[in-house]
Amino acid sequence: MNTYLWFVGKRILQLLAVIFCGVSATFLVTHLSPIDPVEQVLGRLSARSNLSPEAIASTRAALTELYGTGQPIVTQYFNFWARLLRGDLGPSLLAFPTPSMELVARALPWTLGLLTTSTLITFIIGNLFGALAGYNPDNRFFQAFGIVAIAVQPIPYYVVAFILLVIFGFLWPVLPISGGFAMDVRPGMTLTYIGSILQHSILPALSLVLVGFGGWFLGMRALVSNIVNDDYVTYAELGGVSRRTIVDAYIIRNAMVPQLTALAMALGGVFSGTVITEQVFNYPGIGSLLIDGVNYGDYSLVLAVSTVSITAVALAIFIVDLLHPLLDPRVRTE
């Protein structure tokens, strides 16, 4: 027990280091960018209305003081961490004066729901069918399933998303292709609203599942194909142990350890795929919010989205990492 607690303590320190380095890198990238958010706002204001030079100068001074862009970058960096620890990254230029963290809080449930659903479905289906295919290599159904997995896996997220968009949006228009829910549905805890959300999430989630399941299937099939030849599996079969027990307790459990490692490595890539998918289907998640913030030059919004995303991915990897010693006692935790 003490060994495992020491293992958890080291992983917590690594978690904090990853978040610190990731957030710091994001801060430097945004603040070293040639895009000036204050000038971006002034340019849009000038295009919409005739502002006097005095009004422009006054607005520039107010925005510069508000966002602290006139200070040295080191001062901005320490001020950023001070505001972040208070949960306040300032107002968003995109939706001024709404706080950036408030915009992220509105969009985060959409992305978490989409990511959680698609990741769980992909992980479970890919590993389950991969284990069965590895244990039953002569089964024609799993052979056909493997061919489909090999064909689909190399296809990028956006290609699958556009194919689904064309099929279900134009050729066979049975599913909504844009937004998070129907415009004529009032938000609230009603069956109509929940049903509309589920209906609008089918295509974005399906695009992620179709691309992701192939990698899990092929990886698990290869692992199981090696495990079924081990002595302890052969001994269990000769001893009359049921096939279900052999697959569940002996094969899948041992094969899941490297798959959990692969899951931790894949979590970061899933977010990038979600950003593209949200753009294709105009889904109201933090991926779409991030793109809008980048296009608008909104430092506060980009930093808020990036900070939350880095923290979420790091926490997910941290949780997966803690599961290894619990799943397989052979994993060293010293």
Side-chain angles (χ1 to χ4, degrees), residues 188-213:
M189 295 303 295
T190 62
L191 292 178
T192 303
Y193 179 64
I194 296 174
S196 181
I197 291 177
L198 294 176
Q199 190 178 22
H200 280 73
S201 66
I202 291 176
L203 289 183
L206 186 60
S207 66
L208 295 172
V209 170
L210 287 177
V211 176
F213 89 92

Side-chain angles (χ1 to χ4, degrees), residues 225-293:
S225 297
N226 294 325
I227 293 176
V228 292
N229 296 320
D230 288 344
D231 294 337
Y232 66 89
V233 176
T234 303
Y235 182 80
E237 292 175 340
L238 295 175
V241 180
S242 65
R243 291 169 60 90
R244 181 173 180 178
T245 301
I246 292 174
V247 172
D248 292 345
Y250 295 168
I251 296 177
I252 292 183
R253 181 173 181 179
N254 286 287
M256 281 301 296
V257 176
Q259 288 296 82
L260 281 176
T261 303
L263 175 62
M265 296 174 63
L267 286 173
V270 169
F271 176 74
S272 62
T274 308
V275 171
I276 299 173
T277 303
E278 289 180 0
Q279 284 293 105
V280 173
F281 294 103
N282 193 29
Y283 200 73
I286 61 175
S288 299
L289 196 64
L290 176 63
I291 298 299
D292 292 339

Side-chain angles (χ1 to χ4, degrees), residues 19-35 67-69 71-84 89 298-300 302-307 310:
I19 294 176
F20 175 79
C21 293
V23 173
S24 297
T26 304
F27 174 87
L28 293 175
V29 168
T30 55
H31 283 72
L32 293 178
S33 169
I35 300 177
Y67 289 96
T69 54
Q71 300 174 344
I73 191 170
V74 175
T75 303
Q76 294 183 50
Y77 177 73
F78 285 108
N79 290 338
F80 160 73
W81 275 106
R83 295 196 309 272
L84 179 61
L89 290 180
D298 191 343
Y299 283 1
S300 297
V302 171
L303 283 172
V305 172
S306 300
T307 300
I310 291 170

Side-chain angles (χ1 to χ4, degrees), residues 8-324:
V8 173
K10 290 193 296 184
R11 291 300 182 267
I12 291 176
L13 293 178
Q14 292 178 4
L15 170 67
L16 296 177
V18 167
I19 294 176
F20 175 79
C21 293
V23 173
S24 297
T26 304
F27 174 87
L28 293 175
V29 168
T30 55
H31 283 72
L32 293 178
S33 169
I35 300 177
D36 188 338
V38 174
E39 296 301 326
Q40 290 280 100
V41 174
L42 291 176
R44 288 180 172 82
L45 290 176
S46 300
R48 295 175 183 175
S49 59
N50 280 327
L51 295 177
S52 65
E54 293 79 9
I56 293 177
S58 176
T59 304
R60 178 182 289 110
L63 290 175
T64 300
E65 182 179 358
L66 177 64
Y67 289 96
T69 54
Q71 300 174 344
I73 191 170
V74 175
T75 303
Q76 294 183 50
Y77 177 73
F78 285 108
N79 290 338
F80 160 73
W81 275 106
R83 295 196 309 272
L84 179 61
L85 294 176
R86 297 195 304 267
D88 177 22
L89 290 180
S92 168
L93 292 174
L94 184 64
F96 190 87
T98 305
S100 300
M101 294 301 290
E102 182 177 333
L103 294 178
V104 173
R106 295 176 188 172
L108 187 60
W110 296 95
T111 297
L112 285 180
L114 180 62
L115 269 178
T116 303
T117 303
S118 59
T119 301
L120 288 177
I121 293 175
T122 305
F123 188 76
I124 293 173
I125 291 178
N127 284 291
L128 178 61
F129 279 73
L132 295 176
Y135 189 66
N136 303 280
D138 298 327
N139 187 288
R140 292 185 177 181
F141 172 77
F142 292 121
Q143 289 177 347
F145 202 86
I147 295 174
V148 174
I150 294 173
V152 173
Q153 188 203 4
I155 303 178
Y157 283 106
Y158 59 88
V159 174
V160 175
F162 277 118
I163 291 175
L164 293 177
L165 191 68
V166 172
I167 293 176
F168 294 102
F170 299 97
L171 300 180
W172 188 32
V174 294
L175 291 173
I177 60 175
S178 178
F181 57 93
M183 298 298 295
D184 58 346
V185 176
R186 184 176 181 179
M189 295 303 295
T190 62
L191 292 178
T192 303
Y193 179 64
I194 296 174
S196 181
I197 291 177
L198 294 176
Q199 190 178 22
H200 280 73
S201 66
I202 291 176
L203 289 183
L206 186 60
S207 66
L208 295 172
V209 170
L210 287 177
V211 176
F213 89 92
W216 298 117
F217 175 86
L218 297 174
M220 180 60 94
R221 187 179 67 175
L223 290 168
V224 172
S225 297
N226 294 325
I227 293 176
V228 292
N229 296 320
D230 288 344
D231 294 337
Y232 66 89
V233 176
T234 303
Y235 182 80
E237 292 175 340
L238 295 175
V241 180
S242 65
R243 291 169 60 90
R244 181 173 180 178
T245 301
I246 292 174
V247 172
D248 292 345
Y250 295 168
I251 296 177
I252 292 183
R253 181 173 181 179
N254 286 287
M256 281 301 296
V257 176
Q259 288 296 82
L260 281 176
T261 303
L263 175 62
M265 296 174 63
L267 286 173
V270 169
F271 176 74
S272 62
T274 308
V275 171
I276 299 173
T277 303
E278 289 180 0
Q279 284 293 105
V280 173
F281 294 103
N282 193 29
Y283 200 73
I286 61 175
S288 299
L289 196 64
L290 176 63
I291 298 299
D292 292 339
V294 171
N295 292 334
Y296 204 86
D298 191 343
Y299 283 1
S300 297
L301 185 58
V302 171
L303 283 172
V305 172
S306 300
T307 300
V308 172
S309 302
I310 291 170
T311 303
V313 172
L315 282 173
I317 296 174
F318 171 73
I319 294 172
V320 171
D321 201 17
L322 294 185
L323 292 177
H324 278 79

